[in-house]
Amino acid sequence: MRIILFGPPGSGKGTQGDLVERRYGFPKISTGDLLRRAVREKTPLGIKAEAMMNRGELVNDEIVEGLVREKIAAPDTRQGYLLDGFPRNLAQVQSLEDMDGRRPEVIIVIDVDERSLVERMQGRLTCRKCGAVYNLLLQKPRAEGRCDVCGGELYKRADDRPDVIRERLRVYQEETKKIRAHYQAKGVFYRVDGSGTVDEVFGRISGILDRELASGEANKAQR
Ligand code: AMP
């Protein structure tokens, strides 16, 4: 199954994407994670992207499309994949459809009100070594400042500052209105309430995926 997880920055897409990957086995392709890794490793692409990311602006379409194309072509995505943070505008929607003509079956938008988003992003910490994400409000690390998974140092993302957060939310609202309309018209669009605990939100998402998987199986059996 091809899934697009959608939602404003701070809505918990990354965390939910990891849980979906763990339960259903669809590899998560996160353009934000891929870009942050390129920045950490100081690759030519990372050096190009860093300033735009730190200002909360979108990185050039060609850069992210290249990253996604490479991942989608990998053999582990044959059964499907989950996109997190891509597509972010209509040009990227088009390029995804060119890359993978099979239409995505499920688009899930995680909706969270703006005040909670700002609070969450200000409390967010990321592991410098493995990229795991924590939240001082919802998902604290066991030891202060250290990653539960690998023991790496936790840091605050440069783009999780209040002024940049506001810019990222503005960019999200502006770009995604059109994307929502596009997928709503295709009839593959679901909205999920992103309030509550990580487990509560995952319960809502897995409810949708279980129903979709069951109906896919039923359709196959009828053929
Ligand atoms: P995220 O982790 O998804 O919030 O992404 C962090 C930053 O990476 C964004 O603010 C953008 O600068 C950049 N980025 C991530 N995904 C995309 C994309 N699909 N298109 C353009 N820029 C992106």
Side-chain angles (χ1 to χ4, degrees):
M1 177 182 285
R2 289 165 297 279
I3 305 161
I4 299 179
L5 205 50
F6 220 64
S11 59
K13 296 190 297 295
T15 305
Q16 295 298 331
D18 287 338
L19 294 174
V20 170
E21 174 174 296
R22 212 170 304 150
R23 175 170 308 173
Y24 298 92
F26 305 123
K28 179 179 100 165
I29 303 173
S30 158
T31 43
D33 287 353
L34 293 169
L35 288 167
R36 276 185 290 281
R37 184 180 313 151
V39 170
R40 264 201 312 275
E41 292 172 357
K42 298 197 178 353
T43 66
L45 186 153
I47 292 167
K48 253 197 220 160
E50 187 171 15
M52 287 181 270
M53 292 175 74
N54 286 347
R55 286 197 297 267
E57 293 164 13
L58 291 186
V59 171
N60 296 349
D61 290 342
E62 305 86 76
I63 294 184
V64 277
E65 283 163 13
L67 290 171
V68 173
R69 184 172 293 113
E70 194 182 310
K71 288 282 166 190
I72 283 184
D76 65 345
T77 62
R78 211 160 289 147
Q79 297 301 317
Y81 50 78
L82 176 141
L83 288 170
D84 157 12
F86 183 92
R88 279 270 229 288
N89 57 33
L90 279 182
Q92 294 180 9
V93 168
Q94 185 57 52
S95 111
L96 176 63
E97 288 172 9
D98 294 343
M99 272 179 230
D100 188 351
R102 299 169 299 178
R103 68 171 205 187
E105 286 99 343
V106 188
I107 319 293
I108 297 178
V109 175
I110 306 178
D111 270 332
V112 181
D113 67 85
E114 188 158 332
R115 226 183 75 200
S116 317
L117 288 174
V118 175
E119 264 173 27
R120 283 190 193 183
M121 278 192 274
Q122 285 177 326
R124 177 152 71 178
L125 293 171
T126 307
C127 174
R128 223 177 261 293
K129 219 160 122 192
C130 74
V133 179
Y134 298 87
N135 192 293
L136 296 175
L137 295 171
L138 290 168
Q139 217 185 1
K140 276 190 180 175
R142 282 196 291 273
E144 198 184 317
R146 289 280 150 204
C147 175
D148 293 352
V149 182
C150 73
E153 182 200 352
L154 300 182
Y155 77 104
K156 199 164 164 46
R157 278 169 48 173
D159 58 354
D160 278 347
R161 294 195 325 258
D163 51 330
V164 185
I165 290 174
R166 273 193 297 278
E167 173 63 9
R168 289 166 65 206
L169 289 175
R170 191 193 63 74
V171 169
Y172 172 81
Q173 299 300 354
E174 193 176 295
E175 296 286 357
T176 54
K177 254 187 249 150
K178 297 172 209 152
I179 304 186
R180 285 184 184 223
H182 175 84
Y183 287 122
Q184 262 160 345
K186 285 188 165 222
V188 290
F189 185 88
Y190 293 90
R191 189 188 292 259
V192 154
D193 171 10
S195 62
T197 64
V198 169
D199 287 344
E200 282 165 350
V201 179
F202 185 58
R204 295 173 198 137
I205 292 176
S206 55
I208 293 171
L209 296 181
D210 288 343
R211 274 198 305 280
E212 281 292 321
L213 285 167
S215 78
E217 286 305 312
N219 285 344
K220 253 192 239 161
Q222 273 172 13
R223 264 184 237 142

